[in-house]
Amino acid sequence: SHTNAKWIVDKNWLAGNEIVTPVRKIRVVLDYPLLVLIVADEDLVPIVEIAMNGRTRQEIFDWLSEQFAILKLDVSGFTPALHYEIPDHPVMHGKPFDMKNPLYYRELANYRTNGDILLRHFTSLVKPDEPVRVWPHHFDDGSYLPMRFKDNQPIASISLGMAVADPYYDEPYFYVTVWTSDGIDYTNKPMVSPPGKWHEKEWMGQVLTAVEIVKHDLSEEQIAVSYRFMEQAIKNAMSLIGVEQKT
């Protein structure tokens, strides 16, 4: 849970958390549309950067290690090993990053930005102090909202987010899921705002896929569909975990 990043809406950047070095505070940033890795200062002003296209994962790692060393960080224990699993890809085995179609990267950044704006809005309504973050296990942008506690431990929560394409859907999708320590009874689950639906394969949750959103030509209509889905899904989630929703 300590590994996460933040989407920077006005820059289309995925920014890591602050790192304190003997020289200055920095953040490591990925520019999505350009596929450029950046070492920036605490105010997100770039210090140095490298284009990832055509370079291997090892080359990027070595470059990043060099930048950390310049900043007088001890990199003796710094390795490219991951403490979480992600889908296998040729890049993990030495194939260079290959940016065949820059428009795809721009479009993915657009989804990230639109999703982040919507999620921060609804998270602030439900639980203002909870952040919205990008989680590397699935690279979903979302927030975990504990809602009921016992002995200072959460016993009920809801999660809302936007996932990228995965084994369940071939496109980004919004989701709202719930959890309680004693389980959820979905026998009489509430209706989801159409064109949203219940996902029931391997996990339960309310989802709205991108293909349903873009069936509407106007951006105003796309926004309205997304907001209606999220409003109803959160209302349903609160009901399922027995929490009264604030108006």
Side-chain angles (χ1 to χ4, degrees):
S1 63
H2 65 283
T3 304
N4 60 71
K6 181 179 180 181
W7 185 253
I8 309 299
V9 167
D10 59 338
K11 295 180 178 291
N12 286 324
W13 285 1
L14 184 64
N17 291 307
E18 189 177 87
I19 301 172
V20 180
T21 81
V23 177
R24 66 198 309 174
K25 295 178 182 178
I26 63 166
R27 296 175 74 177
V28 179
V29 176
L30 175 63
D31 184 316
Y32 253 53
L34 300 180
L35 196 60
V36 169
L37 195 68
I38 302 167
V39 176
D41 66 17
E42 59 185 310
D43 297 318
L44 292 177
V45 176
I47 301 170
V48 63
E49 61 185 48
I50 184 172
M52 298 174 66
N53 189 38
R55 292 186 168 91
T56 66
R57 182 171 178 262
Q58 187 63 50
E59 288 175 319
I60 299 299
F61 174 79
D62 292 342
W63 175 86
L64 192 57
S65 297
E66 292 173 3
Q67 306 312 311
F68 287 165
I70 291 171
L71 293 164
K72 302 188 184 305
L73 281 175
D74 179 8
V75 296
S76 60
F78 185 44
T79 74
L82 302 178
H83 61 276
Y84 48 84
E85 292 185 4
I86 60 175
D88 195 25
H89 190 278
V91 165
M92 300 295 289
H93 307 286
K95 185 178 180 179
F97 291 95
D98 187 7
M99 194 177 187
K100 287 187 174 71
N101 191 336
L103 291 179
Y104 289 148
Y105 295 77
R106 170 65 63 179
E107 185 67 3
L108 182 57
N110 290 341
Y111 274 105
R112 287 264 184 223
T113 290
N114 292 337
D116 193 77
I117 291 170
L118 183 141
L119 293 169
R120 283 191 287 110
H121 169 75
F122 281 101
T123 296
S124 69
L125 295 179
V126 179
K127 206 162 188 183
D129 294 335
E130 295 295 333
V132 175
R133 291 288 184 267
V134 177
W135 308 95
H137 308 71
H138 305 288
F139 281 94
D140 56 322
D141 191 25
S143 190
Y144 164 72
L145 309 174
M147 302 303 298
R148 289 197 289 118
F149 299 83
K150 182 177 181 179
D151 299 328
N152 294 322
Q153 296 298 316
I155 60 171
S157 66
I158 70 173
S159 295
L160 52 138
M162 188 203 73
V164 292
D166 61 15
Y168 306 104
Y169 300 97
D170 293 331
E171 71 226 57
Y173 61 94
F174 289 111
Y175 66 84
V176 176
T177 61
V178 296
W179 168 86
T180 66
S181 58
D182 53 359
I184 300 286
D185 181 7
Y186 290 103
T187 304
N188 297 308
K189 55 185 179 293
M191 294 291 293
V192 182
S193 176
K197 64 180 181 179
W198 278 100
H199 175 91
E200 302 183 33
K201 182 182 178 182
E202 297 182 5
W203 53 272
M204 290 291 295
Q206 301 167 85
V207 302
L208 175 64
T209 59
V211 70
E212 296 294 343
I213 297 173
V214 299
K215 285 179 179 178
H216 300 270
D217 294 330
L218 298 177
S219 60
E220 292 84 359
E221 294 174 344
Q222 295 178 3
I223 293 169
V225 166
S226 302
Y227 270 68
R228 283 198 301 269
F229 164 78
M230 195 62 70
E231 285 175 339
Q232 185 63 50
I234 291 174
K235 180 180 178 180
N236 293 343
M238 294 291 201
S239 174
L240 285 166
I241 64 173
V243 174
E244 183 178 350
Q245 187 174 6
K246 298 178 181 179
T247 57

